[in-house]
Amino acid sequence: QFHTDDFAGQVRQALLNDIQQRQNPDGGWNWAGLAAQSDLFVSADAVSLLAEANRLGWRVRPDVLQNGLNYLKREFQSAAENEIKTYLLYALTVAGDVDFAHVNRVYRERNSLRTGSLALLALMFHRLNRPELAAEINGMLTARATRQTDSATGATLAFWPSDSPFRWLEGDIETTALALLAAQTVAPQADVTTQAMEWLNAQRAWIGWGSTRANARVAAALFQYLTAARFAEDRYTLDI
């Protein structure tokens, strides 16, 4: 007898195993697979994924996760840009291994942070159970949104223009998806969440949103949005 849940679980575990096997000797990961030098952004995403999977009870090798954390901490020590620091700190936060003093130092420079960093900082404070700080950063993030009117429907749309010099955070679609994830997590009933979701839907093409990376960011925001969505009640009766 075939069970779709069992099959989905096997596929999920196989993908996690593949990610773990692709870890480089330095503890990090690279977009292209095994390589001499790891990429800190790819490595941060990998650690976030494995840490969350481990929290949910999937099989993650402790040594792989620890080596990944060690790599991120080394990269953090040599990082000069707050955008890089914030990306690394978010992964460490997901893994439950972040030094709040480092987060606080980035928070002190909140007024100079780029959009992606603000979004990650809001998500960090949410995970660290600091709702008042998460709300403050989300308010700053919302204020940066650009509004426009849909010419076909007259609806208000919202998006966040890209302001990052780093390839891993460039592009209006990816920036908006990350900002929407933060806004939806911190204040799911705010108008900007629906406005941003409508804008993202308007950007969709037949292959999604243009790249695997963009699709992944939008998928995370879309999942969070639909999880918290409040759909209208059915307005019909069915007689049998």
Side-chain angles (χ1 to χ4, degrees), residues 194-232:
T194 300
Q195 295 166 356
M197 195 69 251
E198 292 295 334
W199 184 87
L200 283 174
N201 283 332
Q203 312 311 307
R204 184 179 180 182
W206 68 276
I207 56 171
W209 284 270
S211 71
T212 303
R213 191 178 65 217
N215 289 345
R217 291 209 188 280
V218 174
L222 182 61
F223 176 81
Q224 184 71 17
Y225 179 83
L226 294 177
T227 299
R230 299 292 183 267
F231 298 101

mmCIF file of all heavy atoms in Angstrom, residues 194-232:
data_model
loop_
_atom_site.group_PDB
_atom_site.id
_atom_site.type_symbol
_atom_site.label_atom_id
_atom_site.label_comp_id
_atom_site.label_asym_id
_atom_site.label_seq_id
_atom_site.Cartn_x
_atom_site.Cartn_y
_atom_site.Cartn_z
ATOM 1 N N THR A 194 -0.726 41.913 2.680
ATOM 2 C CA THR A 194 -1.562 41.601 1.513
ATOM 3 C C THR A 194 -1.101 42.372 0.290
ATOM 4 O O THR A 194 -1.049 41.830 -0.823
ATOM 5 C CB THR A 194 -3.033 41.936 1.815
ATOM 6 O OG1 THR A 194 -3.474 41.152 2.929
ATOM 7 C CG2 THR A 194 -3.919 41.631 0.614
ATOM 8 N N GLN A 195 -0.736 43.634 0.478
ATOM 9 C CA GLN A 195 -0.273 44.454 -0.642
ATOM 10 C C GLN A 195 1.006 43.891 -1.251
ATOM 11 O O GLN A 195 1.169 43.869 -2.473
ATOM 12 C CB GLN A 195 -0.060 45.891 -0.164
ATOM 13 C CG GLN A 195 -1.336 46.585 0.282
ATOM 14 C CD GLN A 195 -1.064 47.854 1.065
ATOM 15 O OE1 GLN A 195 0.086 48.198 1.352
ATOM 16 N NE2 GLN A 195 -2.130 48.577 1.416
ATOM 17 N N ALA A 196 1.916 43.419 -0.413
ATOM 18 C CA ALA A 196 3.168 42.850 -0.906
ATOM 19 C C ALA A 196 2.936 41.498 -1.569
ATOM 20 O O ALA A 196 3.570 41.167 -2.580
ATOM 21 C CB ALA A 196 4.173 42.715 0.236
ATOM 22 N N MET A 197 2.027 40.707 -1.019
ATOM 23 C CA MET A 197 1.730 39.416 -1.625
ATOM 24 C C MET A 197 1.123 39.606 -3.008
ATOM 25 O O MET A 197 1.446 38.864 -3.946
ATOM 26 C CB MET A 197 0.765 38.648 -0.712
ATOM 27 C CG MET A 197 0.653 37.167 -1.041
ATOM 28 S SD MET A 197 2.162 36.246 -0.668
ATOM 29 C CE MET A 197 2.790 35.887 -2.299
ATOM 30 N N GLU A 198 0.256 40.605 -3.161
ATOM 31 C CA GLU A 198 -0.330 40.900 -4.462
ATOM 32 C C GLU A 198 0.740 41.345 -5.453
ATOM 33 O O GLU A 198 0.718 40.981 -6.628
ATOM 34 C CB GLU A 198 -1.405 41.985 -4.317
ATOM 35 C CG GLU A 198 -2.652 41.548 -3.555
ATOM 36 C CD GLU A 198 -3.432 40.473 -4.277
ATOM 37 O OE1 GLU A 198 -3.343 40.402 -5.526
ATOM 38 O OE2 GLU A 198 -4.133 39.683 -3.611
ATOM 39 N N TRP A 199 1.704 42.130 -4.974
ATOM 40 C CA TRP A 199 2.776 42.582 -5.863
ATOM 41 C C TRP A 199 3.617 41.393 -6.322
ATOM 42 O O TRP A 199 3.954 41.289 -7.503
ATOM 43 C CB TRP A 199 3.666 43.604 -5.149
ATOM 44 C CG TRP A 199 4.731 44.180 -6.028
ATOM 45 C CD1 TRP A 199 4.624 45.264 -6.862
ATOM 46 C CD2 TRP A 199 6.075 43.675 -6.196
ATOM 47 N NE1 TRP A 199 5.818 45.470 -7.524
ATOM 48 C CE2 TRP A 199 6.724 44.514 -7.140
ATOM 49 C CE3 TRP A 199 6.785 42.616 -5.641
ATOM 50 C CZ2 TRP A 199 8.043 44.321 -7.534
ATOM 51 C CZ3 TRP A 199 8.100 42.415 -6.042
ATOM 52 C CH2 TRP A 199 8.714 43.259 -6.973
ATOM 53 N N LEU A 200 3.944 40.489 -5.402
ATOM 54 C CA LEU A 200 4.721 39.306 -5.777
ATOM 55 C C LEU A 200 3.964 38.436 -6.774
ATOM 56 O O LEU A 200 4.548 37.925 -7.736
ATOM 57 C CB LEU A 200 5.065 38.493 -4.523
ATOM 58 C CG LEU A 200 6.193 39.036 -3.644
ATOM 59 C CD1 LEU A 200 6.310 38.213 -2.363
ATOM 60 C CD2 LEU A 200 7.527 39.041 -4.390
ATOM 61 N N ASN A 201 2.678 38.268 -6.555
ATOM 62 C CA ASN A 201 1.878 37.480 -7.502
ATOM 63 C C ASN A 201 1.917 38.100 -8.895
ATOM 64 O O ASN A 201 1.925 37.386 -9.905
ATOM 65 C CB ASN A 201 0.433 37.370 -7.018
ATOM 66 C CG ASN A 201 0.272 36.365 -5.890
ATOM 67 O OD1 ASN A 201 1.046 35.410 -5.790
ATOM 68 N ND2 ASN A 201 -0.715 36.570 -5.035
ATOM 69 N N ALA A 202 1.937 39.432 -8.958
ATOM 70 C CA ALA A 202 1.956 40.124 -10.248
ATOM 71 C C ALA A 202 3.287 39.950 -10.976
ATOM 72 O O ALA A 202 3.361 40.125 -12.199
ATOM 73 C CB ALA A 202 1.664 41.611 -10.053
ATOM 74 N N GLN A 203 4.335 39.602 -10.248
ATOM 75 C CA GLN A 203 5.656 39.425 -10.861
ATOM 76 C C GLN A 203 5.889 38.004 -11.345
ATOM 77 O O GLN A 203 6.897 37.719 -12.001
ATOM 78 C CB GLN A 203 6.766 39.779 -9.850
ATOM 79 C CG GLN A 203 6.587 41.074 -9.106
ATOM 80 C CD GLN A 203 6.268 42.240 -10.002
ATOM 81 O OE1 GLN A 203 6.977 42.508 -10.971
ATOM 82 N NE2 GLN A 203 5.189 42.955 -9.688
ATOM 83 N N ARG A 204 4.986 37.117 -11.051
ATOM 84 C CA ARG A 204 5.212 35.708 -11.370
ATOM 85 C C ARG A 204 5.141 35.453 -12.865
ATOM 86 O O ARG A 204 4.252 35.945 -13.560
ATOM 87 C CB ARG A 204 4.181 34.842 -10.644
ATOM 88 C CG ARG A 204 4.408 33.357 -10.844
ATOM 89 C CD ARG A 204 3.388 32.530 -10.081
ATOM 90 N NE ARG A 204 3.600 31.115 -10.265
ATOM 91 C CZ ARG A 204 2.842 30.159 -9.754
ATOM 92 N NH1 ARG A 204 1.795 30.504 -9.007
ATOM 93 N NH2 ARG A 204 3.103 28.896 -9.957
ATOM 94 N N ALA A 205 6.088 34.675 -13.379
ATOM 95 C CA ALA A 205 6.105 34.257 -14.775
ATOM 96 C C ALA A 205 5.890 32.747 -14.827
ATOM 97 O O ALA A 205 5.687 32.094 -13.793
ATOM 98 C CB ALA A 205 7.433 34.642 -15.418
ATOM 99 N N TRP A 206 5.976 32.187 -16.013
ATOM 100 C CA TRP A 206 5.664 30.760 -16.145
ATOM 101 C C TRP A 206 6.667 29.876 -15.417
ATOM 102 O O TRP A 206 6.360 28.728 -15.081
ATOM 103 C CB TRP A 206 5.597 30.379 -17.625
ATOM 104 C CG TRP A 206 6.905 30.439 -18.342
ATOM 105 C CD1 TRP A 206 7.495 31.534 -18.892
ATOM 106 C CD2 TRP A 206 7.794 29.345 -18.595
ATOM 107 N NE1 TRP A 206 8.697 31.221 -19.459
ATOM 108 C CE2 TRP A 206 8.908 29.876 -19.308
ATOM 109 C CE3 TRP A 206 7.773 27.981 -18.303
ATOM 110 C CZ2 TRP A 206 9.976 29.081 -19.716
ATOM 111 C CZ3 TRP A 206 8.854 27.201 -18.707
ATOM 112 C CH2 TRP A 206 9.926 27.743 -19.402
ATOM 113 N N ILE A 207 7.881 30.376 -15.172
ATOM 114 C CA ILE A 207 8.884 29.589 -14.440
ATOM 115 C C ILE A 207 8.985 30.042 -12.987
ATOM 116 O O ILE A 207 9.941 29.716 -12.290
ATOM 117 C CB ILE A 207 10.265 29.694 -15.105
ATOM 118 C CG1 ILE A 207 10.710 31.155 -15.225
ATOM 119 C CG2 ILE A 207 10.284 29.004 -16.444
ATOM 120 C CD1 ILE A 207 12.155 31.305 -15.678
ATOM 121 N N GLY A 208 8.030 30.787 -12.531
ATOM 122 C CA GLY A 208 8.058 31.259 -11.151
ATOM 123 C C GLY A 208 8.511 32.708 -11.096
ATOM 124 O O GLY A 208 7.958 33.569 -11.769
ATOM 125 N N TRP A 209 9.553 32.963 -10.326
ATOM 126 C CA TRP A 209 9.994 34.346 -10.122
ATOM 127 C C TRP A 209 11.405 34.607 -10.649
ATOM 128 O O TRP A 209 12.081 35.508 -10.196
ATOM 129 C CB TRP A 209 9.895 34.693 -8.644
ATOM 130 C CG TRP A 209 8.476 34.947 -8.218
ATOM 131 C CD1 TRP A 209 7.809 36.140 -8.216
ATOM 132 C CD2 TRP A 209 7.542 33.976 -7.756
ATOM 133 N NE1 TRP A 209 6.516 35.978 -7.776
ATOM 134 C CE2 TRP A 209 6.324 34.652 -7.485
ATOM 135 C CE3 TRP A 209 7.595 32.597 -7.535
ATOM 136 C CZ2 TRP A 209 5.188 34.011 -7.012
ATOM 137 C CZ3 TRP A 209 6.460 31.945 -7.068
ATOM 138 C CH2 TRP A 209 5.275 32.649 -6.807
ATOM 139 N N GLY A 210 11.837 33.807 -11.595
ATOM 140 C CA GLY A 210 13.058 34.140 -12.314
ATOM 141 C C GLY A 210 14.288 33.320 -11.987
ATOM 142 O O GLY A 210 15.203 33.227 -12.805
ATOM 143 N N SER A 211 14.352 32.752 -10.800
ATOM 144 C CA SER A 211 15.518 31.939 -10.435
ATOM 145 C C SER A 211 15.141 31.008 -9.299
ATOM 146 O O SER A 211 14.144 31.225 -8.601
ATOM 147 C CB SER A 211 16.694 32.826 -10.004
ATOM 148 O OG SER A 211 16.442 33.429 -8.748
ATOM 149 N N THR A 212 15.944 29.983 -9.104
ATOM 150 C CA THR A 212 15.705 29.046 -8.004
ATOM 151 C C THR A 212 15.767 29.756 -6.666
ATOM 152 O O THR A 212 14.951 29.500 -5.766
ATOM 153 C CB THR A 212 16.752 27.914 -8.039
ATOM 154 O OG1 THR A 212 16.699 27.261 -9.298
ATOM 155 C CG2 THR A 212 16.489 26.901 -6.936
ATOM 156 N N ARG A 213 16.724 30.675 -6.529
ATOM 157 C CA ARG A 213 16.878 31.405 -5.279
ATOM 158 C C ARG A 213 15.664 32.292 -5.003
ATOM 159 O O ARG A 213 15.142 32.326 -3.883
ATOM 160 C CB ARG A 213 18.156 32.242 -5.332
ATOM 161 C CG ARG A 213 18.575 32.855 -4.012
ATOM 162 C CD ARG A 213 19.868 33.631 -4.166
ATOM 163 N NE ARG A 213 19.701 34.778 -5.033
ATOM 164 C CZ ARG A 213 20.613 35.212 -5.899
ATOM 165 N NH1 ARG A 213 21.760 34.576 -6.019
ATOM 166 N NH2 ARG A 213 20.395 36.273 -6.646
ATOM 167 N N ALA A 214 15.212 33.003 -6.028
ATOM 168 C CA ALA A 214 14.030 33.857 -5.861
ATOM 169 C C ALA A 214 12.796 33.015 -5.539
ATOM 170 O O ALA A 214 11.988 33.380 -4.674
ATOM 171 C CB ALA A 214 13.795 34.679 -7.124
ATOM 172 N N ASN A 215 12.635 31.890 -6.235
ATOM 173 C CA ASN A 215 11.500 31.012 -5.968
ATOM 174 C C ASN A 215 11.496 30.531 -4.523
ATOM 175 O O ASN A 215 10.450 30.435 -3.880
ATOM 176 C CB ASN A 215 11.525 29.804 -6.908
ATOM 177 C CG ASN A 215 11.189 30.173 -8.341
ATOM 178 O OD1 ASN A 215 10.678 31.264 -8.610
ATOM 179 N ND2 ASN A 215 11.489 29.283 -9.271
ATOM 180 N N ALA A 216 12.692 30.206 -3.998
ATOM 181 C CA ALA A 216 12.790 29.720 -2.620
ATOM 182 C C ALA A 216 12.387 30.810 -1.627
ATOM 183 O O ALA A 216 11.670 30.545 -0.654
ATOM 184 C CB ALA A 216 14.207 29.241 -2.333
ATOM 185 N N ARG A 217 12.842 32.033 -1.867
ATOM 186 C CA ARG A 217 12.490 33.130 -0.949
ATOM 187 C C ARG A 217 10.989 33.414 -0.994
ATOM 188 O O ARG A 217 10.358 33.621 0.043
ATOM 189 C CB ARG A 217 13.276 34.386 -1.309
ATOM 190 C CG ARG A 217 14.756 34.290 -1.024
ATOM 191 C CD ARG A 217 15.336 35.659 -0.710
ATOM 192 N NE ARG A 217 16.786 35.607 -0.619
ATOM 193 C CZ ARG A 217 17.453 35.189 0.436
ATOM 194 N NH1 ARG A 217 16.800 34.766 1.505
ATOM 195 N NH2 ARG A 217 18.775 35.177 0.435
ATOM 196 N N VAL A 218 10.437 33.433 -2.189
ATOM 197 C CA VAL A 218 9.001 33.689 -2.309
ATOM 198 C C VAL A 218 8.209 32.545 -1.681
ATOM 199 O O VAL A 218 7.183 32.779 -1.028
ATOM 200 C CB VAL A 218 8.604 33.886 -3.787
ATOM 201 C CG1 VAL A 218 7.077 33.996 -3.923
ATOM 202 C CG2 VAL A 218 9.252 35.138 -4.354
ATOM 203 N N ALA A 219 8.663 31.311 -1.862
ATOM 204 C CA ALA A 219 7.954 30.163 -1.295
ATOM 205 C C ALA A 219 7.875 30.260 0.221
ATOM 206 O O ALA A 219 6.834 29.951 0.821
ATOM 207 C CB ALA A 219 8.650 28.859 -1.710
ATOM 208 N N ALA A 220 8.959 30.701 0.863
ATOM 209 C CA ALA A 220 8.945 30.850 2.327
ATOM 210 C C ALA A 220 7.947 31.907 2.756
ATOM 211 O O ALA A 220 7.180 31.712 3.708
ATOM 212 C CB ALA A 220 10.346 31.217 2.819
ATOM 213 N N ALA A 221 7.922 33.036 2.038
ATOM 214 C CA ALA A 221 6.977 34.101 2.368
ATOM 215 C C ALA A 221 5.545 33.664 2.085
ATOM 216 O O ALA A 221 4.623 33.957 2.857
ATOM 217 C CB ALA A 221 7.312 35.359 1.574
ATOM 218 N N LEU A 222 5.356 32.965 0.970
ATOM 219 C CA LEU A 222 4.026 32.494 0.594
ATOM 220 C C LEU A 222 3.493 31.495 1.610
ATOM 221 O O LEU A 222 2.319 31.552 2.007
ATOM 222 C CB LEU A 222 4.070 31.861 -0.799
ATOM 223 C CG LEU A 222 2.751 31.354 -1.378
ATOM 224 C CD1 LEU A 222 1.763 32.496 -1.528
ATOM 225 C CD2 LEU A 222 2.993 30.685 -2.730
ATOM 226 N N PHE A 223 4.347 30.571 2.063
ATOM 227 C CA PHE A 223 3.932 29.597 3.070
ATOM 228 C C PHE A 223 3.486 30.295 4.352
ATOM 229 O O PHE A 223 2.453 29.972 4.928
ATOM 230 C CB PHE A 223 5.076 28.631 3.357
ATOM 231 C CG PHE A 223 4.776 27.649 4.457
ATOM 232 C CD1 PHE A 223 4.024 26.517 4.200
ATOM 233 C CD2 PHE A 223 5.234 27.863 5.752
ATOM 234 C CE1 PHE A 223 3.735 25.610 5.218
ATOM 235 C CE2 PHE A 223 4.948 26.975 6.766
ATOM 236 C CZ PHE A 223 4.192 25.840 6.499
ATOM 237 N N GLN A 224 4.286 31.260 4.803
ATOM 238 C CA GLN A 224 3.952 31.987 6.029
ATOM 239 C C GLN A 224 2.652 32.773 5.852
ATOM 240 O O GLN A 224 1.812 32.811 6.754
ATOM 241 C CB GLN A 224 5.094 32.945 6.390
ATOM 242 C CG GLN A 224 4.906 33.696 7.694
ATOM 243 C CD GLN A 224 5.049 32.806 8.917
ATOM 244 O OE1 GLN A 224 5.597 31.712 8.812
ATOM 245 N NE2 GLN A 224 4.544 33.254 10.047
ATOM 246 N N TYR A 225 2.485 33.371 4.682
ATOM 247 C CA TYR A 225 1.282 34.167 4.411
ATOM 248 C C TYR A 225 0.031 33.297 4.416
ATOM 249 O O TYR A 225 -0.970 33.621 5.059
ATOM 250 C CB TYR A 225 1.426 34.879 3.070
ATOM 251 C CG TYR A 225 0.220 35.704 2.676
ATOM 252 C CD1 TYR A 225 0.050 36.993 3.172
ATOM 253 C CD2 TYR A 225 -0.745 35.195 1.815
ATOM 254 C CE1 TYR A 225 -1.053 37.758 2.819
ATOM 255 C CE2 TYR A 225 -1.845 35.945 1.458
ATOM 256 C CZ TYR A 225 -1.999 37.225 1.960
ATOM 257 O OH TYR A 225 -3.101 37.964 1.611
ATOM 258 N N LEU A 226 0.087 32.171 3.702
ATOM 259 C CA LEU A 226 -1.086 31.304 3.599
ATOM 260 C C LEU A 226 -1.382 30.595 4.925
ATOM 261 O O LEU A 226 -2.531 30.290 5.221
ATOM 262 C CB LEU A 226 -0.895 30.282 2.481
ATOM 263 C CG LEU A 226 -0.819 30.867 1.066
ATOM 264 C CD1 LEU A 226 -0.559 29.766 0.053
ATOM 265 C CD2 LEU A 226 -2.107 31.616 0.725
ATOM 266 N N THR A 227 -0.338 30.334 5.712
ATOM 267 C CA THR A 227 -0.544 29.703 7.015
ATOM 268 C C THR A 227 -1.373 30.592 7.934
ATOM 269 O O THR A 227 -2.219 30.119 8.695
ATOM 270 C CB THR A 227 0.801 29.387 7.685
ATOM 271 O OG1 THR A 227 1.530 28.473 6.865
ATOM 272 C CG2 THR A 227 0.597 28.771 9.055
ATOM 273 N N ALA A 228 -1.138 31.894 7.852
ATOM 274 C CA ALA A 228 -1.834 32.840 8.740
ATOM 275 C C ALA A 228 -3.040 33.485 8.094
ATOM 276 O O ALA A 228 -3.728 34.290 8.729
ATOM 277 C CB ALA A 228 -0.859 33.926 9.194
ATOM 278 N N ALA A 229 -3.305 33.169 6.815
ATOM 279 C CA ALA A 229 -4.386 33.849 6.104
ATOM 280 C C ALA A 229 -5.739 33.509 6.719
ATOM 281 O O ALA A 229 -5.975 32.411 7.218
ATOM 282 C CB ALA A 229 -4.369 33.450 4.628
ATOM 283 N N ARG A 230 -6.618 34.497 6.671
ATOM 284 C CA ARG A 230 -7.991 34.318 7.152
ATOM 285 C C ARG A 230 -8.914 34.416 5.945
ATOM 286 O O ARG A 230 -9.183 35.502 5.435
ATOM 287 C CB ARG A 230 -8.353 35.394 8.179
ATOM 288 C CG ARG A 230 -7.464 35.378 9.417
ATOM 289 C CD ARG A 230 -7.712 34.121 10.239
ATOM 290 N NE ARG A 230 -6.923 34.126 11.456
ATOM 291 C CZ ARG A 230 -5.729 33.577 11.568
ATOM 292 N NH1 ARG A 230 -5.176 33.007 10.512
ATOM 293 N NH2 ARG A 230 -5.072 33.605 12.708
ATOM 294 N N PHE A 231 -9.337 33.264 5.475
ATOM 295 C CA PHE A 231 -10.167 33.259 4.286
ATOM 296 C C PHE A 231 -11.624 33.578 4.646
ATOM 297 O O PHE A 231 -12.098 33.278 5.742
ATOM 298 C CB PHE A 231 -10.106 31.892 3.592
ATOM 299 C CG PHE A 231 -8.721 31.548 3.112
ATOM 300 C CD1 PHE A 231 -7.913 30.685 3.835
ATOM 301 C CD2 PHE A 231 -8.218 32.112 1.956
ATOM 302 C CE1 PHE A 231 -6.633 30.378 3.401
ATOM 303 C CE2 PHE A 231 -6.941 31.809 1.509
ATOM 304 C CZ PHE A 231 -6.157 30.930 2.236
ATOM 305 N N ALA A 232 -12.311 34.166 3.693
ATOM 306 C CA ALA A 232 -13.720 34.493 3.921
ATOM 307 C C ALA A 232 -14.537 33.220 4.069
ATOM 308 O O ALA A 232 -14.234 32.180 3.480
ATOM 309 C CB ALA A 232 -14.247 35.321 2.743
#
